Amino acid sequence: MSYASKLPYGLRKEGDSEVLLHISEILPHESGLRCNCVCPSCGERLQAKLPKTKEDFTPRFAHHNSETCDYATETALHLKAKEIIEEEKRMVIPRVVAHYNNLYKEVTPKREVTFDRVVLERRVGNVIPDILAYKDSRPLMIEITITHGIDDEKFKKLEKLGISTLEIDLSDMDTDFDPEFLRNQIIDSLESKYWVYNAVEEKEKECLKEEYLQIQKKKEEEERKAEEKRKWLEKVREEKLKDKAERIEKLLDSNYQLILKKRWEKDLKMDPIWIKASKGMNISLNTVPEYINVDIPGEVVFGCDRRVWQAYIFYRYVNKKVKLFRDKTFPITVKRILENVKEEFKGRLNYDLVYMKDVAGYNDVPDLTQVIYDYLKRLQEYGYLLELEAGHIFYSKFIVLDPDSVYEMRFIPTEMSEYKKIENLMKNSEWDECKELIKELLLKYSQKNHPKYFDALAYLFDCVIVRSSGRILLERDF
């Protein structure tokens, strides 16, 4: 910013000293050359330009019979700032914060300091600061910046001296300023004050540096240990997988499975899960239904005779539901059965076969999830379940059916006027007529106006298609 246009200060000799006067301090009768002021920079005579009214123009000094001096205002501000500090002998200084990388610490808060003495432009080493202020014999160098700040060369000198240096930057000051505003900016305000160098900050920065290095050292040590642990765990995992592969190979050996199955068959009669399920279904080893003794690939994962785990699943998820809820049963899921099996058969499952995706070469061997799903699919063939499509077998759902009832009718509201007609067609296996009727009813009961009827009919239509295709065989059809 150029300060030449409005010069607010003039220098006047009073006795043996020179006094820096603001234009507001010039009396009306001292206007023009009668102010007896000279330029603080070039020394040329000044005129005091005082307006007759407030609206005329801003009061100011102007050079008489000479070109405008470019550095007049800059020099005046510089002198006035030093004069104010010398008079006040106090100042509010900014807080001191030490930084090192991502660490920081407030060394001292902002505070007001009263100086013991203030010296102007005294050489300190190879530097001449604008102001040298002392507090308890400790020096503080103060630099007043108007147009040119502290360059790198001067900063290096200050840093080498090791004396705290504060910069007061007045470069954004408007030339039309009030003297009290300038005093406030220099003494009480923090807006224009910056630490160029602070000895206490540098000392604390060294402490932060040491702390940072310790943190980094600890972090590197932790990373080293973590890497060692990772490698160790990887080695252990590889060894476990190798051992697991050997155990899987043994469990999949047909001769070994024959030995296991004989042992399990011997223990079957006293098995608590079998006893509970067989009593609940009123069956014995001599009257085991075909659907509770189905050969399922991978069933060795259960670690027991197939009649135990198949009786458990059929009794808990099919038989009990049909007895309790008849035509109002809800779907069963592979996910829920898997969770319950893991809990109920805890300690007897062959855990190496529960999940084998982590061992190369066994992706085609059925795991526990697959074995459960395959058994449910076989129950579907016997007419006890109906699968609802899912993205993965783990999330597959099956509707529990009662082979002795028209199970599809469970979802049709009985208040529907066509209920009896549909039921008769279903009972008589008149599938083609049933499909045509349902098509008509889907048009009659739109999803928008009759969502309950529409959804039930849509589901029934799918069931009729399945029934008519012969994919589900009911016990009464045998």
Side-chain angles (χ1 to χ4, degrees):
M1 179 185 290
S2 174
Y3 289 99
S5 59
K6 296 180 182 179
L7 178 59
Y9 284 97
L11 200 61
R12 183 161 69 187
K13 189 167 185 180
E14 294 184 358
D16 295 332
S17 61
E18 290 182 326
V19 180
L20 193 63
L21 298 174
H22 187 262
I23 189 66
S24 62
E25 297 177 277
I26 301 301
L27 300 176
H29 69 273
E30 295 178 316
S31 64
L33 292 175
R34 292 192 298 274
C35 66
N36 292 322
C37 292
V38 298
C39 174
S41 177
C42 64
E44 291 295 324
R45 294 183 69 190
L46 297 176
Q47 298 181 49
K49 298 284 188 176
L50 302 178
K52 294 180 180 178
T53 66
K54 291 183 179 180
E55 288 76 20
D56 283 354
F57 56 83
T58 302
R60 66 186 184 276
F61 287 104
H63 284 72
H64 177 66
N65 293 333
S66 67
E67 294 182 0
T68 301
C69 176
D70 290 337
Y71 299 103
T73 302
E74 179 182 347
T75 303
L77 275 175
H78 213 269
L79 290 173
K80 191 61 181 178
K82 290 191 285 187
E83 179 185 298
I84 290 171
I85 294 172
E86 188 178 25
E87 288 176 356
E88 292 282 344
K89 287 188 174 59
R90 69 176 184 89
M91 181 186 294
V92 175
I93 61 174
R95 67 176 187 155
V96 178
V97 180
H99 292 267
Y100 189 83
N101 283 329
N102 59 336
L103 300 179
Y104 77 94
K105 180 181 179 180
E106 184 178 80
V107 184
T108 57
K110 69 172 184 178
R111 65 195 191 282
E112 182 176 305
V113 178
T114 301
F115 303 117
D116 299 326
R117 59 194 178 98
V118 175
V119 182
L120 304 182
E121 305 205 12
R122 174 178 292 179
R123 178 179 292 276
V124 180
N126 57 351
V127 176
I128 302 177
D130 292 330
I131 301 164
L132 192 61
Y134 289 89
K135 174 67 176 178
D136 298 330
S137 301
R138 293 195 305 274
L140 171 65
M141 294 195 292
I142 302 173
E143 291 288 332
I144 309 297
T145 297
I146 307 299
T147 54
H148 303 294
I150 297 172
D151 56 26
D152 292 340
E153 184 179 352
K154 188 170 184 179
F155 175 78
K156 289 178 181 178
K157 291 179 181 179
L158 294 172
E159 192 176 33
K160 190 174 181 180
L161 283 173
I163 299 176
S164 297
T165 304
L166 184 67
E167 178 183 21
I168 302 177
D169 187 355
L170 303 179
S171 58
D172 288 334
M173 282 281 293
D174 195 324
T175 55
D176 184 19
F177 57 82
D178 180 86
E180 285 306 311
F181 177 76
L182 177 62
R183 183 177 296 274
N184 177 265
Q185 286 294 104
I186 293 171
I187 301 301
D188 297 314
S189 176
L190 290 174
E191 289 181 13
S192 305
K193 295 172 185 173
Y194 311 93
W195 287 110
V196 178
Y197 175 86
N198 188 281
V200 180
E201 177 189 346
E202 291 301 314
K203 184 178 179 181
E204 189 60 40
K205 190 184 293 184
E206 287 299 314
C207 295
L208 290 179
K209 180 180 179 181
E210 182 62 29
E211 182 181 343
Y212 177 80
L213 293 175
Q214 290 297 323
I215 292 173
Q216 289 300 107
K217 185 178 179 181
K218 184 178 179 181
K219 184 178 178 182
E220 289 171 2
E221 180 65 18
E222 289 174 350
E223 289 175 351
R224 183 187 65 79
K225 289 181 178 179
E227 180 62 17
E228 288 179 355
K229 185 177 181 180
R230 186 194 66 77
K231 289 181 178 179
W232 176 78
L233 289 174
E234 184 65 26
K235 184 178 179 181
V236 170
R237 179 178 176 276
E238 289 175 359
E239 291 175 353
K240 284 184 176 181
L241 288 179
K242 183 179 178 182
D243 294 341
K244 182 177 180 178
E246 293 174 356
R247 292 193 298 271
I248 290 173
E249 191 67 31
K250 182 179 179 180
L251 286 167
L252 296 180
D253 180 72
S254 57
N255 293 325
Y256 183 65
Q257 287 189 13
L258 285 174
I259 296 172
L260 290 176
K261 289 178 180 179
K262 286 181 180 180
R263 185 193 307 163
W264 296 336
E265 186 176 11
K266 184 180 178 181
D267 298 335
L268 173 59
K269 189 181 296 184
M270 301 304 295
D271 191 293
I273 295 178
W274 163 256
I275 293 172
K276 180 179 180 180
S278 61
K279 283 185 177 180
M281 293 185 289
N282 195 25
I283 61 174
S284 67
L285 291 177
N286 298 323
T287 59
V288 175
E290 182 181 341
Y291 48 80
I292 297 180
N293 195 11
V294 184
D295 184 9
I296 302 294
E299 62 184 359
V300 69
V301 65
F302 273 94
C304 62
D305 190 278
R306 70 166 67 111
R307 286 165 286 187
V308 175
W309 67 268
Q310 290 181 15
Y312 168 78
I313 292 177
F314 188 85
Y315 173 62
R316 178 167 181 175
Y317 299 101
V318 181
N319 183 272
K320 285 185 70 174
K321 286 185 178 294
V322 170
K323 282 184 177 180
L324 292 173
F325 304 108
R326 197 67 180 175
D327 290 343
K328 298 299 180 182
T329 59
F330 296 96
I332 60 174
T333 66
V334 173
K335 178 177 180 291
R336 175 58 62 85
I337 295 173
L338 180 68
E339 291 171 351
N340 292 336
V341 160
K342 285 183 176 180
E343 183 64 30
E344 192 69 32
F345 287 80
K346 185 185 294 183
R348 66 166 73 189
L349 291 173
N350 283 313
Y351 290 98
D352 292 318
L353 302 179
V354 170
Y355 180 81
M356 290 174 284
K357 296 293 189 291
D358 56 343
V359 183
Y362 296 99
N363 289 334
D364 296 332
V365 179
D367 59 10
L368 182 58
T369 305
Q370 186 69 53
V371 171
I372 293 172
Y373 174 77
D374 289 345
Y375 178 59
L376 297 180
K377 289 292 288 182
R378 293 298 300 275
L379 289 179
Q380 176 171 280
E381 294 175 11
Y382 284 101
Y384 287 102
L385 301 175
L386 179 64
E387 183 180 11
L388 301 176
E389 291 186 9
H392 189 276
I393 63 171
F394 181 75
Y395 299 103
S396 291
K397 294 182 179 181
F398 289 80
I399 295 173
V400 181
L401 310 176
D402 178 5
D404 296 323
S405 70
V406 183
Y407 57 84
E408 294 93 342
M409 293 298 293
R410 77 184 69 183
F411 299 105
I412 304 299
T414 55
E415 68 270 16
M416 185 186 293
S417 59
E418 296 85 1
Y419 182 89
K420 282 294 181 182
K421 187 175 181 180
I422 298 172
E423 185 179 36
N424 289 331
L425 291 173
M426 295 286 292
K427 285 181 178 180
N428 297 322
S429 300
E430 297 176 7
W431 308 120
D432 291 337
E433 291 183 35
C434 191
K435 282 189 287 186
E436 293 304 317
L437 175 59
I438 294 173
K439 286 180 183 179
E440 294 175 8
L441 295 178
L442 284 170
L443 293 174
K444 177 180 178 181
Y445 300 112
S446 67
Q447 189 172 28
K448 181 179 180 181
N449 298 323
H450 304 277
K452 183 179 178 180
Y453 288 4
F454 183 89
D455 292 343
L457 288 165
Y459 171 74
L460 180 59
F461 185 79
D462 291 339
C463 291
V464 171
I465 294 295
V466 172
R467 285 286 293 273
S468 63
S469 67
R471 283 183 288 174
I472 295 182
L473 300 176
L474 301 183
E475 284 189 343
R476 62 173 176 271
D477 295 328
F478 296 148

